[in-house]
């Protein structure tokens, strides 16, 4: 091996606490405890480079850990925060597997790691299960010898597997490509292209056989006239240097502390005056607790201080706190760790303290910090109430345009016929009954959009034979039926060469690829007055080759909610998404589509399913998005799309900030006359615990337009978009 690549070792110390403070966790006969950790071996190009916060966060969120027994999968964790601080298993043999990163067919920056280990659990000692995840990608790089430039211009090499490809040139000479090989695919193919001195196109292809994960294949391209192949026309000799990815650097990453209880900490711990039992809350960390802080103590009667930090307190203050009714225990030494191992803490509020509180709500803030400076904050809320049943304040994401999820808890034993009654402010009350579970949720439907409602708890029997209605009334406002501006495509302007689907640039909500095509004096998206559903216009999206002679590119007719940000050579940079906060059930509208046979195609489009000579495909899709985090040249959007092949980044319907998605496609003409066909796209929500901050609607006359492929003359007309709630 000629080349040793310096590497980064990132250890996810997802470690089970070896010393439990919980006297309520008793090991069952035959059980044992597991210390679970995960090591990730990551290739880097500079010795000693620190891994960035963004990389660490991505690996922590994406890592998956599976634990198997002889009976199959028994534990599954997604992300560091899901891994328990204590992992108890029945004695026996086990296997653990782990994955981290992004499994992408071909990428310059997305890497993937996987690994496994076996371990044995017994009651006598804590089992050690370290899963060493090594890089699972095949790596490739390319270097052009100076001699190449003597015979070719605009040269590049494309290296591909059967699912993806990357382009290398002098512009990204130091780039490394990361390939996840599809099942059964054990070779990389390469294609060298360029322009000869006389102007002709040069192409040379080849293969790298039997490629393996965690190996880099460095290609050096040299011109050697003495070895010129007069038959095959191959001018260049390709030298492949195979090198193993090696690891020699280390950084430690730990999970944040965990704060748990045997009840839901996100909900108040409720009870009547004098009815409380003691309550214990548990904190655990990977290595060492350095601080356990409580605040909000004055309100429950501890007058010495409103805030305390237990490990820094004097012994006298600890005794005073204990006498008041709050006990904090941290084990400083055990048989397994005789030198001391502060990995866990138990915080107990005595029954006497809790039963001294009068009717009211008492929030206590708990903060736990570890020796890495990571911390976790939880608010423990004590609620003293004589109510038989209590409604909870509704979360914003539980309120939709025509429905809401209302929650409550039964406080008094024996309460039956419990539920929530609600009404439009000033209207008549309507009752929704629960199943009398201790904690319940009810979906009320048929609400009016953009309307204020109020609700309260009730019970037919408060446990003593009396009807009960809470005096506490909560309110919420349903979402509005938000619609897309210029949804009928009536407004158009042309401040420069590019036609814009808006009354003015200042009012622009929709945009198109016209800004790129207009540089060649063509607008691919325009208004249309003869084919429409209503009003004066529809939007006409026509795919076509844009250029002069053979110089140019195929451009798909398109329109989208967002902004065309820049033209990078002959490629576009687009900001996807516009502000939007409602959650519709579907998008409807009118479309007329007439596809042509695909006559502009390339290898990348072929790999994505495009077939030369087959009909083009029309595409309309809608997505609800969160997070304005991507920036280009001072503009921030939920998604920034770049179509340049060397750093291509397209919309991903499975992206982490996509909370809902739906689409319409067609490879057939919708109708033969000038009428338009109605369509409706149902939105499928993959997350309902968050509200959107942006909406994305994209229409394209050519499905593979992102890869500059499709049928010249394919045309789509769209009109009268409407969200349905």
């Amino acid at each position: 091996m000629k080349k040793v690549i310096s590497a980064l070792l990132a250890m996810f110390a997802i470690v089970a606490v070896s010393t439990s403070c919980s006297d309520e966790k008793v090991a069952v006969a035959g059980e044992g405890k597991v210390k679970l950790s995960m090591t990730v071996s990551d290739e880097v190009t500079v010795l000693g480079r620190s891994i960035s916060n963004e990389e660490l966060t991505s690996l922590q969120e994406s890592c998956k850990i599976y634990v198997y027994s002889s009976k199959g999968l028994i534990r599954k964790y997604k992300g560091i925060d899901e891994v328990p601080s204590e992992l108890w298993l029945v004695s026996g043999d086990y296997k653990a597997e782990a994955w981290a990163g992004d499994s992408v067919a071909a990428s310059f920056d997305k890497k993937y790691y996987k690994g496994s280990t076996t371990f044995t659990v017994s009651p006598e000692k804590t089992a050690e299960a370290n899963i060493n995840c090594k890089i699972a990608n095949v790596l490739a790089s390319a270097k052009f010898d100076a001699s190449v430039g003597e015979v070719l211009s605009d040269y590049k090499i494309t290296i591909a597997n059967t699912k993806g490809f990357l382009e290398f040139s002098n512009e990204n000479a130091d780039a490394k490509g990361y390939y996840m090989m599809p099942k059964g695919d054990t070779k990389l193919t390469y294609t060298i292209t360029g322009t000869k001195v006389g102007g002709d196109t040069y192409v040379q292809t080849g293969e790298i056989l039997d490629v393996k994960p965690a190996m880099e294949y460095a290609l050096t391209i040299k011109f050697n006239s003495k070895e010129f192949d007069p038959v095959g026309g191959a001018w260049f000799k390709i030298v492949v240097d195979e090198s193993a990815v090696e690891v020699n650097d280390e950084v430690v990453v730990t999970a944040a502390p965990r704060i748990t209880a045997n009840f839901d900490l996100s909900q108040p711990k409720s009870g009547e005056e004098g009815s409380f039992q003691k309550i214990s809350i548990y904190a655990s960390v990977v290595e060492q607790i350095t601080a356990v802080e409580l605040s909000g103590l004055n309100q429950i009667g501890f007058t010495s201080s409103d805030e305390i930090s237990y490990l820094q307190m004097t012994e006298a203050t600890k005794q005073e706190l204990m006498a008041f009714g709050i006990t904090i225990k941290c084990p400083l030494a055990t048989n397994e760790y005789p030198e001391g191992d502060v990995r866990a803490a138990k915080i107990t509020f005595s029954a006497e303290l809790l039963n001294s509180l009068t009717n009211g709500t008492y929030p206590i803030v708990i903060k736990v910090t570890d020796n890495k400076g990571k911390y976790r904050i939880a608010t423990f809320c004590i609620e003293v109430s004589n109510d038989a049943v209590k409604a909870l304040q509704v979360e914003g994401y539980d309120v939709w345009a025509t429905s809401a999820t209302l929650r409550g808890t039964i406080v008094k034993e024996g309460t039956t016929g419990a539920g929530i009654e609600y009404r439009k402010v000033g209207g008549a009350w309507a009752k929704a009954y629960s199943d009398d579970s201790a904690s319940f949720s009810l979906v009320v439907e048929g609400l009016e959009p953009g309307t204020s409602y109020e609700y309260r708890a009730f019970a037919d029997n408060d446990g003593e034979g009396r009807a009960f209605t809470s005096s506490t009334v909560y309110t919420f406002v349903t979402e509005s039926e938000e619609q897309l501006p210029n949804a009928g495509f009536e407004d158009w302007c042309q401040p420069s060469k590019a036609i814009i689907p808006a009354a003015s640039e200042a009012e622009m909500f929709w945009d198109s690829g016209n800004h790129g095509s207009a540089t060649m004096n063509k607008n691919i998206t325009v208004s249309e007055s003869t084919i429409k559903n209503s009003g004066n216009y529809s939007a006409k999206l026509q795919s076509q080759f844009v250029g002069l002679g053979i110089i140019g590119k195929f451009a798909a007719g398109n329109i989208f909610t967002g902004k065309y940000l820049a033209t990078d050579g002959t490629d576009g940079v687009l900001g996807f998404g516009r502000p939007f906060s409602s959650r519709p059930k579907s998008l409807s509208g009118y479309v007329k589509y007439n596809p042509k046979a695909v006559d502009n195609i390339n290898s990348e489009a072929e790999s994505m399913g495009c077939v030369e000579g087959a009909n083009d495909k029309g595409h309309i899709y809608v997505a609800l998005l969160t997070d304005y985090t991507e920036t280009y040249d001072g503009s921030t959007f939920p998604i920034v799309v770049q179509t340049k092949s060397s750093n291509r980044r397209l919309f991903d319907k499975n992206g982490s900030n996509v909370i809902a998605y739906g689409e319409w496609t067609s490879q057939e003409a919708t109708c033969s006359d000038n009428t338009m066909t109605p369509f409706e796209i149902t939105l499928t929500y993959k997350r309902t615990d968050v509200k959107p901050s942006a909406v994305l609607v994209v229409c394209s006359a050519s499905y593979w337009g992102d890869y500059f492929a499709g049928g010249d003359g394919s045309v789509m007309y769209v009109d009268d978009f409407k969200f349905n709630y």
Side-chain angles (χ1 to χ4, degrees):
M1 305 296 177
K2 281 180 62 179
K3 185 177 179 184
V4 176
I5 305 175
S6 64
L8 178 71
L9 182 65
M11 176 173 287
F12 284 86
I14 309 170
V15 185
V17 175
S18 300
T19 309
S20 173
C21 291
S22 171
D23 56 11
E24 295 165 12
K25 169 60 183 172
V26 179
V28 177
E31 274 194 352
K33 202 167 356 184
V34 181
K35 181 189 291 185
L36 182 65
S37 64
M38 180 175 139
T39 303
V40 179
S41 303
D42 182 18
E43 180 274 336
V44 297
T45 56
V46 181
L47 184 64
R49 177 183 75 92
S50 297
I51 193 167
S52 70
N53 290 334
E54 291 77 9
E55 289 173 299
L56 291 182
T57 299
S58 176
L59 287 172
Q60 290 180 86
E61 291 178 350
S62 68
C63 73
K64 298 177 183 178
I65 299 178
Y66 291 179
V67 180
Y68 299 88
S69 71
S70 59
K71 297 180 180 180
L73 179 65
I74 60 169
R75 298 286 191 277
K76 179 179 179 180
Y77 307 110
K78 171 71 165 63
I80 262 188
D81 282 344
E82 280 196 11
V83 179
S85 295
E86 287 188 334
L87 180 60
W88 290 81
L89 297 173
V90 175
S91 297
D93 295 326
Y94 294 85
K95 179 180 180 180
E97 294 181 347
W99 299 264
D102 295 308
S103 180
V104 178
S107 173
F108 283 117
D109 55 6
K110 297 185 186 303
K111 309 167 192 175
Y112 195 58
Y113 317 89
K114 62 182 179 181
S116 65
T117 190
T118 57
F119 60 95
T120 300
V121 174
S122 66
E124 290 77 24
K125 64 177 183 178
T126 300
E128 299 280 348
N130 179 41
I131 313 167
N132 184 17
C133 291
K134 296 183 179 180
I135 193 163
N137 301 93
V138 171
L139 281 68
S141 59
K143 181 180 179 181
F144 287 92
D145 186 79
S147 59
V148 177
E150 297 174 5
V151 293
L152 286 184
S153 61
D154 300 327
Y155 51 84
K156 64 183 179 182
I157 184 169
T158 301
I159 304 175
N161 58 25
T162 55
K163 292 294 184 181
F165 71 92
L166 298 171
E167 292 182 350
F168 300 81
S169 66
N170 283 336
E171 293 181 3
N172 60 351
D174 296 325
K176 295 186 188 300
Y178 298 87
Y179 297 83
M180 282 303 298
M181 304 302 292
K183 186 176 181 180
D185 191 359
T186 60
K187 70 178 180 181
L188 293 174
T189 60
Y190 60 82
T191 303
I192 302 169
T193 59
T195 304
K196 299 178 184 179
V197 176
D200 293 336
T201 299
Y202 176 82
V203 178
Q204 179 179 333
T205 60
E207 298 178 340
I208 309 169
L209 301 177
D210 195 26
V211 297
K212 297 178 178 64
M215 299 291 289
E216 179 181 0
Y217 298 86
L219 281 65
T220 302
I221 301 98
K222 297 181 178 180
F223 173 70
N224 190 336
S225 59
K226 293 181 180 179
E227 298 184 12
F228 172 65
D229 180 354
V231 178
W235 285 5
F236 300 101
K237 181 178 181 181
I238 312 300
V239 179
V240 181
D241 179 19
E242 183 183 43
S243 306
V245 175
E246 299 186 15
V247 175
N248 64 359
D249 215 359
E250 182 174 293
V251 66
V252 175
V253 184
T254 61
R258 299 174 68 83
I259 302 175
T260 59
N262 58 359
F263 59 92
D264 186 355
L265 274 172
S266 68
Q267 301 296 333
K269 186 64 175 176
S270 301
E272 293 184 79
E273 286 186 71
S275 68
F276 285 91
Q277 302 294 318
K278 75 173 183 179
I279 294 172
S280 293
I281 298 171
Y282 306 95
S284 57
V285 303
V286 170
E287 293 187 7
Q288 183 179 356
I289 291 177
T290 56
V292 178
E293 301 168 80
L294 275 65
S295 59
L297 301 182
N298 285 170
Q299 62 181 326
I300 60 173
F302 188 68
T303 56
S304 296
S305 175
D306 191 50
E307 301 178 1
I308 61 102
S309 183
Y310 180 75
L311 292 177
Q312 286 72 38
M313 288 168 56
T314 64
E315 192 60 36
T317 307
K318 289 180 181 179
Q319 294 300 319
E320 183 182 358
L321 189 67
M322 188 181 301
F324 177 69
I326 300 176
T327 304
I328 303 176
K329 293 182 179 180
C330 292
L332 300 180
T334 66
N335 290 335
E336 191 171 1
Y337 295 94
E339 305 263 322
D341 185 55
V342 189
R343 293 192 177 199
K346 178 182 178 182
I347 307 165
T348 301
F349 295 80
S350 70
E352 292 76 14
L353 167 60
L354 297 174
N355 289 325
S356 70
L357 302 176
T358 58
N359 277 4
T361 301
Y362 306 91
I364 307 297
V365 178
I366 302 171
K367 179 180 179 181
V368 179
T369 307
D370 67 11
N371 59 320
K372 300 296 182 183
K374 294 195 173 185
Y375 62 86
R376 180 88 63 183
I377 296 175
T379 299
F380 163 51
C381 197
I382 307 163
E383 187 173 70
V384 184
S385 171
N386 290 323
D387 287 354
V389 59
K390 178 175 177 55
L392 303 179
Q393 180 65 59
V394 67
E395 298 285 355
Y397 54 73
D398 276 335
V399 180
W400 296 59
T402 60
S403 65
T405 300
L406 306 179
R407 307 176 195 275
T409 58
I410 294 177
V411 181
K412 188 181 293 185
E413 288 188 12
T415 298
T416 59
I420 302 289
E421 59 180 14
Y422 62 97
R423 67 178 181 180
K424 187 163 61 173
V425 173
W429 291 102
K431 289 187 174 181
Y433 282 89
S434 74
D435 60 359
D436 287 341
S437 299
S439 295
F440 60 85
S441 64
L442 300 167
V443 178
V444 295
E445 299 180 316
L447 306 181
E448 297 179 16
T451 303
S452 296
Y453 283 83
E454 52 190 8
Y455 64 100
R456 62 191 180 187
F458 76 91
D460 293 340
N461 176 9
D462 68 353
E464 299 177 13
R466 298 185 299 265
F468 164 79
T469 301
S470 176
S471 60
T472 303
V473 178
Y474 297 96
T475 62
F476 64 85
V477 179
T478 51
E479 291 179 357
S480 63
E481 290 184 313
E482 199 169 351
Q483 297 294 338
L484 299 167
N486 198 25
F489 306 106
E490 295 297 302
D491 298 326
W492 300 81
C493 67
Q494 190 173 8
S496 57
K497 289 185 177 181
I499 295 174
I500 297 172
S504 68
E505 284 187 282
E507 301 174 68
M508 186 172 65
F509 192 87
W510 299 86
D511 207 349
S512 73
N514 283 350
H515 303 271
S517 64
T519 60
M520 302 298 286
N521 298 315
K522 285 188 180 180
N523 280 282
I524 56 177
T525 298
V526 297
S527 62
E528 172 60 45
S529 61
T530 59
I531 299 174
K532 61 191 178 183
N533 178 64
S534 68
N536 296 315
Y537 303 107
S538 67
K540 178 183 179 182
L541 293 50
Q542 183 164 340
S543 299
Q544 54 195 285
F545 184 84
V546 177
L548 297 173
I550 62 171
I551 302 174
K553 264 187 177 177
F554 176 82
N558 66 85
I559 195 168
F560 60 90
T561 58
K563 184 179 180 181
Y564 189 101
L565 299 176
T567 300
D568 182 6
T570 58
D571 302 282
V573 181
L574 317 176
F576 268 9
R578 288 292 192 182
F580 196 83
S581 58
S582 296
R583 288 172 292 178
K585 294 178 180 178
S586 66
L587 174 70
S588 59
Y590 291 83
V591 62
K592 176 178 172 60
Y593 183 56
N594 185 25
K596 297 296 183 182
V598 172
D599 53 6
N600 289 269
I601 196 167
N602 51 58
S603 60
E604 188 173 14
E606 284 182 320
S607 71
M608 303 303 294
C610 185
V611 177
E612 186 172 10
N615 272 1
D616 207 343
K617 184 192 291 188
H619 195 199
I620 302 172
Y621 64 86
V622 55
L624 297 178
L625 312 170
T626 62
D627 305 331
Y628 277 74
T629 57
E630 298 191 14
T631 300
Y632 183 89
D633 196 25
S635 297
T636 302
F637 287 85
I639 297 168
V640 173
V641 166
Q642 300 189 56
T643 61
K644 194 178 188 69
S645 59
S646 59
N647 59 342
R648 178 170 286 141
R649 188 179 187 281
L650 304 177
F651 169 75
D652 178 8
K653 67 181 180 182
N654 298 312
S656 60
N657 68 335
V658 179
I659 67 171
Y661 180 79
E663 65 180 349
W664 172 94
T665 63
S666 178
Q667 283 189 281
E668 303 297 329
T670 54
C671 53
S672 58
D673 56 18
N674 284 346
T675 60
M676 302 189 76
T677 301
F679 70 87
E680 184 169 5
I681 299 171
T682 299
L683 276 160
T684 300
Y685 284 82
K686 66 177 184 177
R687 289 189 65 184
T688 57
D689 61 343
V690 64
K691 298 187 75 169
S693 54
V695 63
L696 173 63
V697 179
V698 177
C699 308
S700 177
S702 297
Y703 186 89
W704 298 278
D706 289 333
Y707 304 97
F708 307 103
D712 200 327
S714 295
V715 62
M716 175 187 287
Y717 304 84
V718 289
D719 201 5
D720 291 341
F721 283 0
K722 179 186 177 183
F723 278 125
N724 305 298
Y725 292 85

